[in-house]
Amino acid sequence: MEHVSFLPLSRFAVCGGTHGNEMSGVYMVREMQRQKADRTGSVSVTSVLSNPPAVDACRRYMETDLNRCFTDALLSGPTTDDTPYELRRARELNAQLGPKGSREAVDLLCDIHNTTANMAVCLIFYSFDWIAIHIYKYIQSKMTSAPVRALCLNEPPSEAYSLESVGKHGIAIEVGPQPTGVVRGDIFNMVKEAVDLTIEWLQKFNSGSTFEGGEVEAYTPVGSVDYPRDPTTGEITAAIHPQLQDNDFKVLRPGDPVFQLFSGETVKHEGDDLYPLFVNECAYYEKKVAFKLTKKITVTLPSVGVKKD
Amino acid sequence: MEHVSFLPLSRFAVCGGTHGNEMSGVYMVREMQRQKADRTGSVSVTSVLSNPPAVDACRRYMETDLNRCFTDALLSGPTTDDTPYELRRARELNAQLGPKGSREAVDLLCDIHNTTANMAVCLIFYSFDWIAIHIYKYIQSKMTSAPVRALCLNEPPSEAYSLESVGKHGIAIEVGPQPTGVVRGDIFNMVKEAVDLTIEWLQKFNSGSTFEGGEVEAYTPVGSVDYPRDPTTGEITAAIHPQLQDNDFKVLRPGDPVFQLFSGETVKHEGDDLYPLFVNECAYYEKKVAFKLTKKITVTLPSVGVKKD
């Protein structure tokens, strides 16, 4: 079986509050800063509150979505008086934790997000990054309090728009269900366990452990489904059907109920067997869709270990 | 047993979007307007979207909380260039549905709210209003999809600050759990059933039915509990304990866990057996508390019927 070795992964960054109303990361980062948790064995830990003004205002963002600002093109453009706050902040974060694509970048960047959808713990990768997927496999094998799943987007690094793409390796942790503006103890505990297990993995990796390869299951997007809308006003005319609500990652088959019109009728799924994610997520600031559709994939992992000098 | 008679209750108003990010009322009102549901038998129905700019922005309010603007003092003050949008809008709504305390006011005003707390269906009254409490008793006896409870605040009408105080009789319907900005099908169905049952009760009342009195159970506030906070920054340092989260209306006894500090320790309840409500509600724009504490009361209702000319 294939084996891939990497240099030690000694610099780890944990970010929260990239979306200012997703509270698990905000309180996780504040607690790490309060405890001055800046080193665990071989791993130095930097904790960063990504968007402090949005956290203070309890809003997703102030002027533009910070987590769409990290493409190479946006990071390298000129800063003028008209540059939105979040793009300025993205360039600061890139200077602090990157620069993206450089040798100076942190080895692993983990950005914490929440969703109102019933996603439990979902790790999101923007590429088939063996380190990130091995950490997913490890967390999944150790965590008992909630299901752990992975969503693979597979985008070129230069076009990756989210904060974790600034690290040499990057993981977004998406945890829910949690309303915006609220911190739930159960969800906080899941986030804390995932971060602690990530640090544990990094320590084992740095100390010379080999992590066996094998097959892991993940989801990859194939499309999205919009709400039924009034053709004149564009307003939504249906809720997610109660039989689909909270059923993220459960297979949706042709004929299964998808929407309940406010007038009472049911709309059913047409097409292939697929897996809905981000069902009925609160995402007012973006083009809101009802849910994303994904298919299951199997990823064949090489074994990984630390590169000896 | 005592009997109280009232004039016919023929003018009913349903309001939603008083808080612009509580979506059940927004979609309930829009659907009623789409269906032109303006009369059911003896009852004329007016449906009103209370705060359209806040609904468009998906925010609780734009400048000040609309649902704190309906005291006699605020409604009667001068309108100047500095008057916040919501106070202007409160005066418009008072002209349309009131004026508060007058013969012209609608007979019953029902205002629909959502909470992120696990409150199911909770009717809120600002006084011991026999009509409102009889409607609560009726909804509770008919509804099977969710528990139905009542919270009695008992404030003088002139100081009642919320929209439903504009009607001759008023009820706030608080339904949850639902994240702000999200509409859930199950919660929408609860709201629709409660509104439909209210109209059914009004029709029966107007057609001469007598509603028997008796004892009903309700909750009344005795205080509130704040989150543990950092004495320097004022930031919260704990989540609601997972054993209390989602347990609104369940008795809290001395020694029961209340908070889970982000550092891991548990904080326990001290004091009397009480009932927590609005547990871990998202209420960023107001002074946020962890939950309200209530005690159970028994209300002895007279029978009610329509007053013959």
Side-chain angles (χ1 to χ4, degrees):
Chain A
M1 182 168 292
E2 197 189 353
H3 180 82
V4 182
S5 59
F6 294 85
L7 290 170
L9 302 165
S10 57
R11 293 166 58 228
F12 177 45
V14 178
C15 299
T18 301
H19 292 139
N21 57 7
E22 299 177 7
M23 305 312 284
S24 297
V26 172
Y27 290 111
M28 184 74 203
V29 163
R30 282 188 178 151
E31 185 59 23
M32 291 172 78
Q33 293 179 343
R34 209 184 61 79
Q35 297 195 5
K36 300 187 172 47
D38 55 0
R39 173 160 292 278
T40 306
S42 62
V43 181
S44 79
V45 181
T46 306
S47 51
V48 179
L49 195 65
S50 310
N51 194 339
V55 170
D56 287 345
C58 202
R59 289 168 59 177
R60 186 173 174 91
Y61 56 77
M62 304 308 288
E63 297 185 71
T64 190
D65 192 330
L66 176 60
N67 212 33
R68 303 293 179 271
C69 288
F70 293 91
T71 61
D72 283 359
L74 284 171
L75 288 175
S76 61
T79 297
T80 69
D81 287 352
D82 295 336
T83 305
Y85 166 74
E86 275 82 5
L87 185 48
R88 291 169 195 266
R89 179 64 179 150
R91 291 169 184 168
E92 280 179 16
L93 291 166
N94 187 50
Q96 181 185 355
L97 303 172
K100 176 171 172 173
S102 76
R103 288 185 51 164
E104 289 72 38
V106 295
D107 294 308
L108 176 64
L109 198 160
C110 182
D111 195 28
I112 303 167
H113 289 263
N114 292 123
T115 170
T116 63
N118 186 22
M119 300 266 285
V121 178
C122 180
L123 306 194
I124 305 177
F125 314 120
Y126 290 81
S127 65
F128 289 95
D129 172 335
W130 302 140
I131 294 294
I133 301 176
H134 262 286
I135 292 172
Y136 155 57
K137 186 177 175 222
Y138 186 76
I139 294 174
Q140 192 182 51
S141 72
K142 296 279 183 182
M143 202 156 162
T144 54
S145 60
V148 181
R149 303 178 187 98
L151 175 64
C152 281
L153 302 180
N154 208 19
E155 289 172 356
S158 64
E159 287 168 36
Y161 45 69
S162 56
L163 173 54
E164 66 273 15
S165 71
V166 166
K168 287 197 191 77
H169 306 275
I171 301 173
I173 305 186
E174 184 79 68
V175 189
Q178 181 170 273
T180 54
V182 168
V183 58
R184 288 181 61 104
D186 51 358
I187 301 290
F188 182 85
N189 291 347
M190 291 177 202
V191 168
K192 184 166 190 324
E193 192 174 0
V195 170
D196 288 348
L197 287 167
T198 300
I199 295 174
E200 188 176 292
W201 189 91
L202 291 171
Q203 299 236 62
K204 289 188 178 183
F205 178 87
N206 290 340
S207 68
S209 296
T210 294
F211 293 90
E212 294 304 319
E215 296 196 331
V216 296
E217 189 177 77
Y219 295 79
T220 196
V222 296
S224 60
V225 177
D226 192 15
Y227 292 93
R229 292 179 186 272
D230 182 294
T232 311
T233 63
E235 284 160 5
I236 71 171
T237 55
I240 294 285
H241 194 280
Q243 286 185 47
L244 174 57
Q245 177 75 46
D246 303 326
N247 281 317
D248 303 72
F249 294 107
K250 305 242 171 82
V251 65
L252 188 65
R253 297 203 160 87
D256 286 348
V258 171
F259 294 110
Q260 172 188 275
L261 294 174
F262 295 127
S263 54
E265 299 89 342
T266 294
V267 177
K268 296 181 175 175
H269 178 58
E270 296 173 3
D272 300 330
D273 285 12
L274 288 168
Y275 298 86
L277 264 72
F278 293 101
V279 175
N280 207 17
E281 195 189 32
C282 177
Y284 170 76
Y285 293 101
E286 301 180 87
K287 178 168 167 37
K288 180 164 179 164
V289 296
F291 52 90
K292 297 186 199 304
L293 282 170
T294 66
K295 62 178 183 182
K296 268 193 201 178
I297 56 173
T298 301
V299 180
T300 304
L301 269 182
S303 70
V304 297
V306 72
K307 189 178 282 181
K308 304 289 192 283
D309 290 331
Chain B
M1 179 167 295
E2 197 190 352
H3 179 85
V4 183
S5 59
F6 294 85
L7 290 171
L9 303 165
S10 56
R11 293 167 58 228
F12 176 45
V14 178
C15 299
T18 302
H19 292 139
N21 55 7
E22 299 177 7
M23 305 313 284
S24 298
V26 172
Y27 291 110
M28 183 74 203
V29 162
R30 282 188 180 152
E31 186 60 24
M32 291 171 79
Q33 292 179 343
R34 209 183 62 77
Q35 297 195 3
K36 300 186 171 51
D38 56 0
R39 173 159 291 279
T40 306
S42 63
V43 180
S44 79
V45 181
T46 306
S47 50
V48 178
L49 195 66
S50 309
N51 194 338
V55 171
D56 286 344
C58 201
R59 290 169 58 177
R60 187 172 173 91
Y61 55 76
M62 303 307 288
E63 297 184 70
T64 191
D65 192 330
L66 176 60
N67 212 34
R68 302 294 179 270
C69 289
F70 294 91
T71 62
D72 283 0
L74 284 171
L75 289 174
S76 62
T79 298
T80 70
D81 287 351
D82 295 335
T83 305
Y85 167 73
E86 274 84 3
L87 185 49
R88 291 169 193 264
R89 179 63 179 150
R91 290 168 184 168
E92 279 179 16
L93 290 167
N94 187 49
Q96 180 186 355
L97 303 172
K100 178 172 171 172
S102 76
R103 288 185 51 165
E104 289 72 38
V106 295
D107 294 307
L108 176 65
L109 197 160
C110 184
D111 194 29
I112 302 167
H113 289 264
N114 291 122
T115 171
T116 63
N118 187 21
M119 300 266 285
V121 178
C122 180
L123 307 193
I124 304 176
F125 314 120
Y126 290 79
S127 66
F128 289 95
D129 172 334
W130 302 140
I131 293 295
I133 300 176
H134 262 285
I135 292 171
Y136 155 58
K137 185 177 176 223
Y138 186 76
I139 293 173
Q140 190 181 52
S141 72
K142 295 279 183 180
M143 202 156 162
T144 55
S145 60
V148 181
R149 304 179 186 96
L151 175 64
C152 281
L153 302 179
N154 207 19
E155 289 173 357
S158 65
E159 287 169 35
Y161 46 69
S162 55
L163 173 53
E164 66 274 16
S165 70
V166 167
K168 288 196 189 78
H169 306 276
I171 301 173
I173 306 187
E174 185 80 67
V175 188
Q178 181 170 272
T180 54
V182 169
V183 57
R184 287 181 62 102
D186 52 357
I187 301 289
F188 182 86
N189 291 347
M190 290 177 202
V191 168
K192 183 166 193 321
E193 191 174 359
V195 170
D196 287 348
L197 287 167
T198 300
I199 295 174
E200 187 175 291
W201 188 92
L202 291 171
Q203 297 236 63
K204 288 187 179 183
F205 178 88
N206 289 340
S207 68
S209 297
T210 295
F211 293 89
E212 294 305 319
E215 297 196 330
V216 297
E217 189 177 79
Y219 295 78
T220 196
V222 296
S224 60
V225 177
D226 192 15
Y227 292 92
R229 291 179 188 272
D230 182 293
T232 312
T233 63
E235 283 160 7
I236 72 171
T237 55
I240 295 285
H241 195 281
Q243 286 185 45
L244 173 57
Q245 177 73 48
D246 304 326
N247 281 317
D248 303 72
F249 294 108
K250 305 240 170 84
V251 65
L252 187 65
R253 298 204 159 88
D256 287 347
V258 172
F259 294 109
Q260 172 188 275
L261 294 174
F262 295 128
S263 53
E265 300 90 341
T266 293
V267 177
K268 295 180 175 177
H269 178 58
E270 295 173 2
D272 301 330
D273 285 11
L274 288 168
Y275 298 86
L277 264 71
F278 293 101
V279 174
N280 207 17
E281 194 189 32
C282 177
Y284 171 77
Y285 293 102
E286 301 179 88
K287 180 170 165 33
K288 179 163 178 164
V289 296
F291 51 91
K292 297 186 198 303
L293 282 170
T294 67
K295 62 178 182 181
K296 267 192 202 179
I297 56 173
T298 301
V299 181
T300 304
L301 270 182
S303 69
V304 298
V306 73
K307 189 178 282 180
K308 304 290 192 283
D309 290 331

